Amino acid sequence: RQADHAGTQELKDVLWSMATLGFGLSSSQEHTGNNYLILKSDRRLEDSQLMVETVDIVVQRSIRMLPKFLSQELNNIAWALARLLRNNNNVTDTIGLRVQKLLRGIGEQLADPRRDVKSQDIGTTLWGMAHLEFFDGDIYQGVVSRLISPDYTSRCKPQEFSNSVWAMATAE
């Protein structure tokens, strides 16, 4: 209800907290072998629908505010969307198209050389995009091109490189 008044941090926090708690998710939506938390509920179907509706509202507002987000907030949004929406049967084509538009915008923001972007933001964002089957070659190329500068390679952790390489391989 308050999305029109929410700032970037609040929008990111809504998605991140729902994803961290597994709100609206069922254990069948999770990959085996991870340590994700799933919030138990007696109203799983209603919670799942509420989660998808909330995600849609946050996505719509986030699209309008893309340049205002910090790179880490964009990374958190991509991760949260991947956790919340992957294999979710409640995602309509309309919501899916809005999510694709947001992911494209996130990629364009992170590819912008004027923006301060950390290697973790690149790795996690690309990982989220690949999990959501967002495969725009120009976006991947633009974001990954940031990793080849010596400034990034000297500070990039192996997990961040691994996430980026896995995402690129998944996206072919």
Side-chain angles (χ1 to χ4, degrees):
R1 292 178 205 154
Q2 299 298 318
D4 287 339
H5 304 292
T8 59
Q9 183 176 350
E10 292 85 10
L11 293 169
K12 177 269 301 178
D13 285 349
V14 166
L15 293 182
W16 187 87
S17 61
M18 286 194 314
T20 300
L21 291 173
F23 179 77
L25 298 179
S26 67
S27 58
S28 65
Q29 289 175 263
E30 295 301 311
H31 300 289
T32 57
N34 65 35
N35 294 322
Y36 285 149
L37 175 69
I38 305 250
L39 189 64
K40 292 191 179 204
S41 172
D42 294 333
R43 301 180 341 183
R44 188 178 307 144
L45 294 176
E46 292 93 343
D47 288 350
S48 179
Q49 185 62 38
L50 178 60
M51 179 270 291
V52 171
E53 290 170 11
T54 303
V55 166
D56 187 35
I57 290 166
V58 172
V59 164
Q60 289 180 63
R61 172 82 171 142
S62 297
I63 289 169
R64 296 190 306 265
M65 296 181 65
L66 272 166
K68 295 180 180 184
F69 282 94
L70 299 174
S71 297
Q72 183 179 359
E73 292 171 332
L74 295 173
N75 141 10
N76 292 155
I77 288 172
W79 174 83
L81 289 173
R83 173 121 198 263
L84 292 169
L85 299 183
R86 183 178 172 143
N87 301 323
N88 191 309
N89 296 330
N90 291 327
V91 178
T92 65
D93 289 343
T94 303
I95 295 170
L97 289 173
R98 284 195 275 263
V99 168
Q100 296 288 310
K101 183 177 181 178
L102 178 60
L103 292 175
R104 182 170 290 102
I106 288 172
E108 289 168 352
Q109 290 296 315
L110 294 184
D112 184 345
R114 297 167 296 186
R115 183 185 264 277
D116 181 37
V117 179
K118 294 182 176 34
S119 52
Q120 179 181 2
D121 301 332
I122 292 171
T124 305
T125 300
L126 292 176
W127 177 91
M129 289 177 174
H131 263 275
L132 288 166
E133 299 180 358
F134 174 79
F135 302 137
D136 183 313
D138 292 335
I139 294 295
Y140 277 81
Q141 190 171 19
V143 174
V144 170
S145 69
R146 308 267 326 241
L147 284 176
I148 61 173
S149 81
D151 188 41
Y152 277 99
T153 55
S154 65
R155 293 181 289 148
C156 196
K157 295 177 184 168
Q159 183 66 49
E160 296 159 358
F161 269 126
S162 175
N163 287 346
S164 299
V165 170
W166 175 87
M168 290 184 296
T170 299
E172 297 180 358

